[in-house]
Amino acid sequence: MEGQASPRIAVALHDIEPATFERCAMIRDWLDDHGVDRVTLLVIPASDLHPLDARSPEMTGWLTERRRAGDSIAQHGFQHRRLRRRRSGGAEFVGLDGRETKSALDAGWRVLKLAGIEPDGFVAPAYAYTPALRRLLPERFRWWAGLLQVHRTFPSADGAHHRLTPAWGMGTERPLRRILSPALIRGAGLLCGQTMRVDLHPADLRHPRHMMALEWVLDHAERRREAITYDELVGAS
């Protein structure tokens, strides 16, 4: 219909660090090949507590080039591992008090800033946010992403609120989700409405069925989805 807005897709590539860089770069090239020219890149600042630019200058240069090409960069935790020994999965900030939370958040931001890739937004590992973390995020970031929505940290010019935009993952890390995920991704491509969020992880490259399902969404939809970053999703760019 004339005048109808184009459907959009916001892809987030998770867990970018020196150990996963090669696979992440391959996934990013694959996305480019399928018309996804803008992606939100989720970078782990200090997975091994070494400065990012010293640990992998090649990756730092790649991130700089990707930003110039239109991608957005997000800080993805600090080490992307539990900082307290408790059953919280990959929930890095769960169990930390306000001081510890601020220390980890600021340390990660500084690592990326010194590497020349100051982040636009923040995504907590496992989408696990605590009240202390939520309070601190507006000090450093334009937005933060939860499982169901990307939240801006600045007031909207028109006072509008964003609709729910749940993130659809490939589910390759758990057996049951791994079986169901290709069908769910195809279904989401048909039913999710105006904006579809997709989470990709380095391990997804090892699962052809899942990548083929995403390829179907990108290449076989009735109306091709326009690629956007999280910055563009919340109107921060």
Side-chain angles (χ1 to χ4, degrees), residues 200-221:
L200 290 176
H201 294 79
D204 294 337
L205 201 59
R206 298 197 298 261
H207 299 273
R209 287 179 59 246
H210 297 72
M211 300 303 289
M212 288 174 63
L214 180 56
E215 181 178 6
W216 184 90
V217 170
L218 296 174
D219 295 346
H220 295 87

Side-chain angles (χ1 to χ4, degrees), residues 18 45 50-61 111 113-117:
H50 286 83
L52 194 64
D53 51 346
R55 177 82 164 78
S56 181
E58 181 183 4
M59 188 184 86
T60 303
V111 167
K113 172 76 170 178
L114 289 172
I117 45 174

Side-chain angles (χ1 to χ4, degrees), residues 13 15 65 84 88 128 131 136 199 206-207:
L13 181 52
D15 301 347
E65 291 175 5
R84 284 284 183 85
S88 55
L136 291 166
D199 283 348
R206 298 197 298 261
H207 299 273

Side-chain angles (χ1 to χ4, degrees), residues 165-233:
T165 49
W168 294 86
M170 303 293 274
T172 57
E173 70 281 0
R174 296 178 182 176
L176 180 59
R177 290 185 64 189
R178 189 158 58 239
I179 294 170
L180 297 176
S181 182
L184 292 175
I185 288 292
R186 289 188 178 93
L190 295 172
L191 301 174
C192 71
Q194 176 69 14
T195 302
M196 179 180 185
R197 281 175 62 200
V198 175
D199 283 348
L200 290 176
H201 294 79
D204 294 337
L205 201 59
R206 298 197 298 261
H207 299 273
R209 287 179 59 246
H210 297 72
M211 300 303 289
M212 288 174 63
L214 180 56
E215 181 178 6
W216 184 90
V217 170
L218 296 174
D219 295 346
H220 295 87
E222 182 179 347
R223 300 179 66 208
R224 190 177 188 88
R225 290 183 177 272
E226 175 191 2
I228 60 170
T229 64
Y230 284 5
D231 253 30
E232 293 165 317
L233 182 59

